[in-house]
Amino acid sequence: MHRLRTCAARLRPLTASQAAQTVGQQRPITVASKGGTRTFQPIRCYTAPVASEPFLNGTSSNYVEEMYYAWLEDPKSVHKSWDVFFRNANAGAPPGAAYQSPLGLASAPQLSSLVGAQPNVEKLVEDHLAVQSLIRAYQVMGHHNAQLDPLGISCVNFDDAPVNSGFQDVDVAEFKERLKILTVGGFYGLDESDLDKVFRLPTTTFIGGSESALPLKEIIRRLEMSYCQHIGVEFMFINDLEQCQWIRQKFETPGVMQFTLEEKRTLLARMVRSTRFEEFLQKKWSAEKRFGLEGCESLIPALKTIIDKSSENGVENVIMGMPHRGRLNVLANVIRKELEQIFCQFDSKLESADEGSGDVKYHLGMYHRRINRVTDRNITLSLMANPSHLEAVDPVVQGKTKAEQFYCGDNDGNRVMSILLHGDAAFAGQGIVYETFHLSDLPSYTTHGTVHVVVNNQIGFTTDPRVARSSPYPTDVARVVNAPIFHVNADDPEAVIYVCKVAAEWRATFHKDVVVDLVCYRRMGHNEMDEPMFTQPLMYKQIKKQKPVLQKYAEKLIAEGAVSRQEYEEEIAKYDKICEEAHARSKDEKILHIKHWLDSPWPGFFTLDGQPKSMSCPSTGLTEESLNHIGQVASSVPVEDFTIHGGLSRILKGRAEMVRNRTVDWALGEYMAFGSLLKEGTHIRLSGQDVERGTFSHRHHVLHDQNVDKRICIPMNHISPDQAPYTVCNSSLSEYGVLGFELGFAMASPNALILWEAQFGDFHNTAQCIIDQFICPGQAKWVRQNGIVLLLPHGMEGMGPEHSSARPERFLQMCNDDPDVMPPLTDDFAVSQLYDCNWIVVNCASPGNYFHVLRRQILLPFRKPLIVFTPKSLLRHPEARSSFDEMLPGTHFQRLIPEGGVAAERPEEVKRLIFCTGKVYYELTKERKNRGMEDTVAIARVEQLSPFPFDQVKAESERFHNADLVWCQEEHKNQGYYDYVKPRIRTTIQRAKPVWYAGRGPASAPATGNKNTHLMELRRFLDNAFGLDAFKDQQ
């Protein structure tokens, strides 16, 4: 019979129904107690042979059990000899030794000397609780004592206790020291004498395998093997029992990390390729920067395992983002880029063939569709091109992944997934990591789980982790979204592979993020030219002694007999030959084609050689019927029994009235553009902070039922039965992350209009990295077009410096057109300009023109980013209206809106021509009317600032040839548009006249915080704009 001291843990009170079911199977035992009756279901477990305890035979055991249960309820209810017997058995004595003759009981000292005075039931319960606490301590804190650092110098110093690896005997003194760290209060009251006691295992552990009880010594040994070897598992912060149990089962079950001979040989071959690729590059180009993978060669088999396992689970498309370290190796051995294409990048004589300026080899991306050899299934792999700005690519990858899932109807992420690689210093240091994690579970942003792989070099350039982060691990940021974190010693390739399998299975099972922390080292400096001994002398002395991981693993397999030394050397020779042959072929490459490195091809959009199919843009107008139909949808609630807010009813009635009057305001003009594109089959996605309603309460694209929580209606999705879907989503309070995400979404397909709206224009400055590194130069660096639209509310409204300027000067400064060269005015001048520019910058003062520019964005035969400075007060300005006539078939976007009033009738009498853009136009026309100068001052609106409308500015200045030229803006002189437009207007008129400035003076802040000062500044620059003698003293 199993030692009686564990019986109490096996007894559970039964409900009446359970008790009824046991009748006929086993007689329930009713024990009288002070509190009434209690029913127990006894569970027998025989582990010791009955022959060794002759009095425990088949007939007596029932009697013994009944006595035991009676004793449990009240020790005084049984004879004193039975009391002693049960006390001794509970204290750990085998039944034979526990028995004492009733004759010997007369001497009390003998009894106390055997049993001791403690109450044994409490001791039994305490011991089991102690064991449960011990198991939990390992699950929670075991990773602190795992052997994770290949160098053995980890600065994650949770304790200085020695880490015992691969042990068989438990030294209790050592474990008492260990458990002081792992647990509060040391060994939980367990002692050396308890090591051989057998304890029943709780349901929250799988270390028993098929056994339900184990001696304490074996429990500790198995916990050590599960949690304190080369894998450290951080997961107990996850507040989901099913997920925790799943992870425990993967890491605690005895014998889980068994590999077949074939798996070991495949792993060795992958390690050979990973290692020899870097060695080949070092041999051929020792003086070149390549940011090699030396010290973390197991990354390649890690990634290939994640991809293999995911492919097995049905994934067809994997989108990856990574920093520069190891990028060439990943391109060669994971994506399977042709080696000669990589090697020729090292040739300084290589000429550039494509348009654009290109990028260094360790920033380039790649797209490749191939058969996965392990699963024999098709898989598409793309590695996103990215700048040196670490982690900036994270949200871009997530956006592209979301788009690919959307276009193939993959609503659960079963077919498309993302893998993100990180460096340890950047993962802890860059805030964009946190922003990206917080998108991971939002309905309109989730990619249903990302596998994050951290290449943990334990150093950032020259900075020690002890001064680079406040958290113990670089991966602690992942805890905010309950992502499990698997730390693994990268010098143990089998442990790495196992962890990566589990990570891929986790993602397939739970569709949540997971982190693999590859704890490794960096054999070279930050790059191959860098000297790390200046700043990390001790670390690099250790690294110099460190045996390469391939050598370690090969020796292990040779010792096991899994491969012979000859087979290993043949594998190396085979890959070296592949590299040499590719190197020979690479010498034939004379021209560098950046197109070969494209990460997001758009099949069918361009001609075969990547050119636009035409260089013209059709009319962006719509039929009266279409305008009326979309207007009716915009002013109605297309769902029955839907109660909207009273204020919204008035807005919808106002829209209906405008449609009857054949006019649109800003919100309705946007509605017409979106609705028509959706009807034509173009998906639209509008994202940003509070975009569903609109910051200024003008849009109202999502209607909320006032009586039913979460019941919404999006009228834009009710325009036509066969329309494209419209996605409008309020984002998290993030600019950097969300703009990056939308940029990635826009990369996936040219046949969608993707818009990001800033809550206020100046909020884009926290997303400046995405604008500067991806949107502005993306096509030049990576031959990758993108049609993303940025909507940036802008205007001096007297609301203070923070909510005024969208910083147009920054966007205009980064435009690539030449201010000093008048381009040839050809028939297709407007479209050619758009094709040559790096982005389009507009400031529309007319809702009709906003409508046209949005439609033009899709109807153009190519894609360029569009920056729109959108209005605030103009949203409700009575004059900021457009007639349907400006939006009918045959109409186009007007790059410049010329003077069309009284001044145009006798242009030769006009004394001043004012060029302006945006909201200030309405202030100028109002002032002109008040001053009675409508015949002497002409006002032209430059709606498209870049590319600059040289042809139309030229025509307008020639029309008013007697007028002096003024640029008027409400922004400060060193901000806004003046520095951009002045040289271009001068070039247009061949510098025949000066271009005077009317506007606010130079300032460091975008606007004043004082309303009175704001109005005084406005009055001053309007006086300058209309004072015909205002600039005489400057001539």
Side-chain angles (χ1 to χ4, degrees):
M1 189 175 183
H2 184 51
R3 289 184 181 172
L4 286 169
R5 69 183 185 283
T6 61
C7 279
R10 296 181 170 277
L11 302 174
R12 294 184 183 86
L14 287 182
T15 62
S17 60
Q18 287 173 316
Q21 289 169 13
T22 64
V23 175
Q25 299 170 15
Q26 191 168 34
R27 180 168 59 89
I29 301 162
T30 304
V31 184
S33 70
K34 291 170 187 167
T37 60
R38 184 183 296 174
T39 307
F40 288 100
Q41 173 73 41
I43 303 168
R44 297 193 199 131
C45 179
Y46 298 100
T47 53
V50 174
S52 66
E53 310 291 358
F55 68 96
L56 287 181
N57 56 43
T59 53
S60 66
S61 59
N62 285 343
Y63 171 69
V64 173
E65 281 183 352
E66 290 201 26
M67 296 293 284
Y68 180 62
Y69 295 127
W71 176 80
L72 277 177
E73 291 296 325
D74 181 6
K76 291 177 181 170
S77 68
V78 299
H79 189 272
K80 196 168 186 180
S81 61
W82 280 114
D83 180 27
V84 172
F85 172 74
F86 290 134
R87 280 172 184 266
N88 286 337
N90 257 13
Y99 170 69
Q100 274 190 286
S101 164
L103 296 173
L105 291 176
S107 54
Q110 192 181 354
L111 168 67
S112 59
S113 66
L114 178 68
V115 179
Q118 78 264 41
N120 290 300
V121 178
E122 282 87 335
K123 166 71 174 158
L124 172 67
V125 173
E126 278 173 16
D127 284 358
H128 270 84
L129 286 174
V131 170
Q132 289 203 23
S133 299
L134 180 66
I135 292 168
R136 181 176 169 79
Y138 271 97
Q139 292 168 341
V140 174
M141 309 282 277
H143 56 88
H144 286 186
N145 276 59
Q147 272 198 318
L148 299 176
D149 182 8
L151 302 175
I153 58 169
S154 172
C155 66
V156 186
N157 280 330
F158 297 102
D159 66 68
D160 296 315
V163 178
N164 198 347
S165 178
F167 63 90
Q168 294 302 318
D169 297 317
V170 175
D171 176 355
V172 94
E174 180 186 314
F175 283 103
K176 278 189 173 177
E177 283 301 307
R178 170 77 57 82
L179 290 163
K180 279 181 190 171
I181 310 301
L182 283 179
T183 65
V184 179
F187 213 12
Y188 289 115
L190 295 167
D191 215 324
E192 194 156 3
S193 60
D194 296 313
L195 282 174
D196 291 316
K197 277 192 198 173
V198 175
F199 288 92
R200 180 172 167 78
L201 297 169
T203 56
T204 51
T205 187
F206 292 84
I207 55 170
S210 58
E211 300 167 272
S212 59
L214 290 172
L216 178 57
K217 181 188 285 189
E218 182 62 15
I219 289 172
I220 293 175
R221 195 188 74 79
R222 292 192 186 185
L223 288 168
E224 284 282 324
M225 297 308 288
S226 298
Y227 290 112
C228 299
Q229 301 306 296
H230 287 154
I231 298 171
V233 192
E234 250 190 301
F235 70 102
M236 288 291 281
F237 53 82
I238 297 173
N239 49 13
D240 183 299
L241 179 61
E242 183 196 357
Q243 292 173 11
C244 287
Q245 286 290 75
W246 188 92
I247 292 170
R248 288 176 189 129
Q249 188 168 14
K250 293 291 178 189
F251 289 98
E252 292 182 356
T253 307
V256 281
M257 270 185 56
Q258 299 300 320
F259 290 88
T260 65
L261 184 63
E262 189 55 40
E263 285 172 329
K264 289 181 178 183
R265 294 167 75 97
T266 300
L267 174 51
L268 181 67
R270 288 174 170 179
M271 288 298 300
V272 164
R273 284 172 174 258
S274 172
T275 306
R276 298 301 287 181
F277 176 79
E278 297 294 355
E279 289 176 2
F280 184 81
L281 294 184
Q282 183 63 18
K283 181 174 72 178
K284 296 289 184 188
W285 298 282
S286 57
E288 280 272 349
K289 283 185 192 178
R290 58 186 165 80
F291 296 96
L293 199 53
E294 290 95 336
C296 193
E297 290 89 347
S298 51
L299 173 68
I300 299 303
L303 291 177
K304 290 176 83 72
T305 300
I306 294 167
I307 292 165
D308 292 347
K309 197 75 193 166
S310 300
S311 171
E312 200 179 290
N313 288 324
V315 169
E316 300 162 3
N317 191 343
V318 178
I319 297 153
M320 296 167 61
M322 70 176 294
H324 37 279
R325 183 157 321 285
R327 191 184 194 92
L328 297 179
N329 208 324
V330 168
L331 283 164
N333 289 313
V334 179
I335 313 274
R336 306 300 286 275
K337 177 82 177 162
E338 298 94 333
L339 290 175
E340 55 266 37
Q341 288 287 328
I342 295 173
F343 296 157
C344 74
Q345 288 274 328
F346 287 92
D347 186 352
S348 58
K349 299 187 188 72
L350 208 61
E351 294 175 25
S352 177
D354 303 310
E355 75 273 14
S357 49
D359 201 351
V360 291
K361 52 192 165 289
Y362 42 81
H363 289 169
L364 295 174
M366 173 63 191
Y367 173 97
H368 188 42
R369 185 166 174 78
R370 63 177 175 82
I371 294 282
N372 181 289
R373 291 177 185 172
V374 173
T375 58
D376 207 30
R377 294 177 179 175
N378 267 323
I379 189 135
T380 301
L381 301 171
S382 54
L383 177 65
M384 304 297 283
N386 60 269
S388 270
H389 294 61
L390 295 171
E391 307 295 340
V393 80
D394 298 357
V396 182
V397 168
Q398 301 298 58
K400 184 169 185 231
T401 306
K402 183 68 175 176
E404 298 289 2
Q405 290 172 349
F406 174 82
Y407 294 127
C408 72
D410 180 16
N411 297 325
D412 298 313
N414 293 321
R415 292 160 57 197
V416 184
M417 71 174 283
S418 55
I419 300 175
L420 284 175
L421 279 75
H422 313 268
D424 54 321
F427 199 59
Q430 293 289 319
I432 187 59
V433 175
Y434 184 85
E435 290 186 35
T436 307
F437 266 118
H438 268 291
L439 297 177
S440 68
D441 218 14
L442 303 182
S444 298
Y445 300 87
T446 180
T447 55
H448 308 285
T450 297
V451 180
H452 300 265
V453 180
V454 179
V455 176
N456 185 351
N457 297 313
Q458 308 182 80
I459 187 172
F461 203 152
T462 66
T463 303
D464 192 299
R466 286 172 289 199
V467 295
R469 62 176 187 262
S470 296
S471 61
Y473 292 114
T475 52
D476 289 330
V477 64
R479 293 167 67 117
V480 298
V481 292
N482 279 339
I485 301 162
F486 304 141
H487 307 279
V488 60
N489 185 323
D491 264 16
D492 182 348
E494 289 182 7
V496 170
I497 295 317
Y498 183 72
V499 154
C500 289
K501 277 185 184 171
V502 174
E505 285 171 19
W506 165 273
R507 194 257 168 202
T509 306
F510 297 108
H511 294 287
K512 288 174 71 73
D513 284 32
V514 55
V515 178
V516 175
D517 177 22
L518 290 177
V519 186
C520 56
Y521 57 92
R522 192 186 66 195
R523 193 168 280 280
M524 309 285 190
H526 174 64
N527 59 60
E528 286 69 25
M529 306 292 96
D530 199 49
E531 175 50 81
M533 291 286 281
F534 288 142
T535 50
Q536 273 74 31
L538 300 181
M539 184 185 210
Y540 274 83
K541 280 175 188 169
Q542 181 63 39
I543 287 171
K544 280 177 181 167
K545 296 180 206 163
Q546 193 78 1
K547 194 184 281 188
V549 60
L550 173 62
Q551 192 183 334
K552 279 189 194 174
Y553 189 57
E555 285 170 3
K556 175 179 181 282
L557 292 193
I558 291 165
E560 287 175 9
V563 292
S564 65
R565 183 161 292 281
Q566 184 186 348
E567 287 170 319
Y568 166 57
E569 286 166 359
E570 282 171 3
E571 190 67 41
I572 287 177
K574 183 172 118 188
Y575 188 67
D576 286 356
K577 185 171 179 238
I578 289 170
C579 289
E580 287 292 355
E581 288 171 354
H583 180 242
R585 288 195 300 274
S586 75
K587 292 178 178 173
D588 299 334
E589 297 280 344
K590 297 286 184 276
I591 296 175
L592 166 62
H593 292 281
I594 304 173
K595 286 195 185 79
H596 293 169
W597 299 79
L598 196 59
D599 58 18
S600 304
W602 291 341
F605 186 68
F606 297 113
T607 60
L608 289 176
D609 59 349
Q611 297 303 309
K613 290 183 175 175
S614 75
M615 280 301 279
S616 63
C617 180
S619 166
T620 45
L622 292 177
T623 63
E624 184 104 16
E625 183 188 2
S626 293
L627 292 170
N628 274 313
H629 172 64
I630 297 163
Q632 282 162 14
V633 174
S635 54
S636 64
V637 183
V639 176
E640 291 180 9
D641 301 324
F642 196 94
T643 310
I644 60 170
H645 189 275
L648 196 49
S649 299
R650 287 193 296 278
I651 291 171
L652 297 188
K653 280 177 188 165
R655 284 182 185 171
E657 184 65 27
M658 276 193 283
V659 173
R660 278 195 294 278
N661 295 332
R662 300 183 69 253
T663 60
V664 297
D665 65 359
W666 192 270
L668 196 50
E670 182 181 76
Y671 221 109
M672 296 294 189
F674 285 7
S676 57
L677 290 170
L678 291 167
K679 199 175 174 187
E680 291 160 13
T682 299
H683 169 58
I684 298 178
R685 177 183 167 94
L686 171 62
S687 156
Q689 292 153 18
D690 311 293
V691 295
E692 295 177 8
R693 191 200 76 171
T695 299
F696 311 103
S697 199
H698 71 290
R699 183 174 285 124
H700 296 288
H701 283 187
V702 178
L703 311 181
H704 292 260
D705 193 310
Q706 297 295 297
N707 301 322
V708 184
D709 183 35
K710 295 183 186 173
R711 187 173 184 228
I712 60 168
C713 167
I714 302 175
M716 198 84 80
N717 279 323
H718 295 265
I719 284 171
S720 164
D722 54 351
Q723 69 170 81
Y726 175 51
T727 304
V728 55
C729 43
N730 289 342
S731 73
S732 67
L733 202 73
S734 149
E735 291 85 26
Y736 189 170
V738 174
L739 179 56
F741 189 96
E742 302 310 331
L743 178 81
F745 203 104
M747 276 176 197
S749 168
N751 303 313
L753 183 66
I754 312 301
L755 308 97
W756 175 76
E757 181 174 71
Q759 193 168 58
F760 287 92
D762 54 347
F763 287 10
H764 76 72
N765 54 18
T766 55
Q768 200 68 46
C769 181
I770 298 295
I771 294 166
D772 288 357
Q773 308 308 129
F774 290 89
I775 299 177
C776 170
Q779 185 176 351
K781 292 199 289 191
W782 306 314
V783 199
R784 181 173 73 194
Q785 293 191 12
N786 196 299
I788 192 168
V789 180
L790 273 60
L791 304 178
L792 307 175
H794 170 85
M796 308 291 128
E797 315 278 6
M799 299 306 290
E802 256 60 74
H803 290 158
S804 295
S805 176
R807 295 290 187 181
E809 64 278 2
R810 292 185 184 168
F811 291 95
L812 294 172
Q813 185 206 9
M814 292 191 281
C815 294
N816 65 354
D817 58 339
D818 191 331
D820 302 320
V821 176
M822 179 77 178
L825 303 180
T826 56
D827 291 343
D828 60 0
F829 174 72
V831 177
S832 295
Q833 257 198 319
L834 293 174
Y835 182 69
D836 293 335
C837 75
N838 60 321
W839 57 16
I840 305 163
V841 182
V842 303
N843 186 358
C844 301
S846 142
N849 231 14
Y850 177 53
F851 157 86
H852 282 296
V853 81
L854 291 176
R855 285 185 48 76
R856 184 183 75 171
Q857 192 66 358
I858 288 297
L859 294 176
L860 281 170
F862 45 82
R863 294 289 171 262
K864 298 284 174 171
L866 171 64
I867 316 299
V868 186
F869 301 118
T870 58
K872 292 174 286 185
S873 60
L874 291 194
L875 297 174
R876 294 177 177 81
H877 197 293
E879 287 180 40
R881 299 277 190 275
S882 295
S883 163
F884 277 14
D885 293 334
E886 297 168 38
M887 303 160 71
L888 292 175
T891 56
H892 290 81
F893 172 72
Q894 292 180 273
R895 293 172 293 138
L896 179 145
I897 302 178
E899 170 62 61
V902 178
E905 293 169 11
R906 287 197 289 278
E908 66 282 353
E909 294 179 12
V910 170
K911 300 280 193 300
R912 175 161 294 172
L913 170 58
I914 300 176
F915 288 105
C916 68
T917 185
K919 173 180 80 78
V920 76
Y921 168 76
Y922 295 97
E923 281 152 353
L924 288 168
T925 53
K926 182 182 174 186
E927 186 70 15
R928 180 174 66 173
K929 188 175 183 182
N930 291 344
R931 291 181 182 236
M933 299 178 75
E934 287 168 304
D935 54 345
T936 53
V937 176
I939 303 172
R941 287 179 267 176
V942 180
E943 299 274 294
Q944 178 178 292
L945 292 147
S946 180
F948 191 72
F950 286 100
D951 53 339
Q952 294 180 334
V953 169
K954 183 171 189 280
E956 195 71 350
S957 51
E958 286 174 354
R959 182 161 67 128
F960 301 104
H961 56 274
N962 292 327
D964 61 1
L965 303 181
V966 172
W967 174 262
C968 182
Q969 65 179 36
E970 57 179 354
E971 295 82 3
H972 290 283
K973 190 173 185 178
N974 57 326
Q975 299 164 27
Y977 324 91
Y978 180 59
D979 287 338
Y980 175 84
V981 299
K982 180 184 175 180
R984 287 166 177 81
I985 296 174
R986 297 262 295 153
T987 297
T988 307
I989 59 171
Q990 296 178 319
R991 297 170 184 77
K993 300 178 189 175
V995 177
W996 303 116
Y997 171 76
R1000 289 180 166 88
S1004 55
T1008 176
N1010 183 287
K1011 188 79 176 179
N1012 188 46
T1013 307
H1014 168 78
L1015 294 171
M1016 277 172 52
E1017 290 171 346
L1018 174 63
R1019 169 56 39 212
R1020 194 179 300 132
F1021 82 69
L1022 288 175
D1023 287 346
N1024 280 344
F1026 290 100
L1028 297 180
D1029 297 330
F1031 305 107
K1032 271 194 173 170
D1033 56 346
Q1034 296 180 34
Q1035 288 179 342

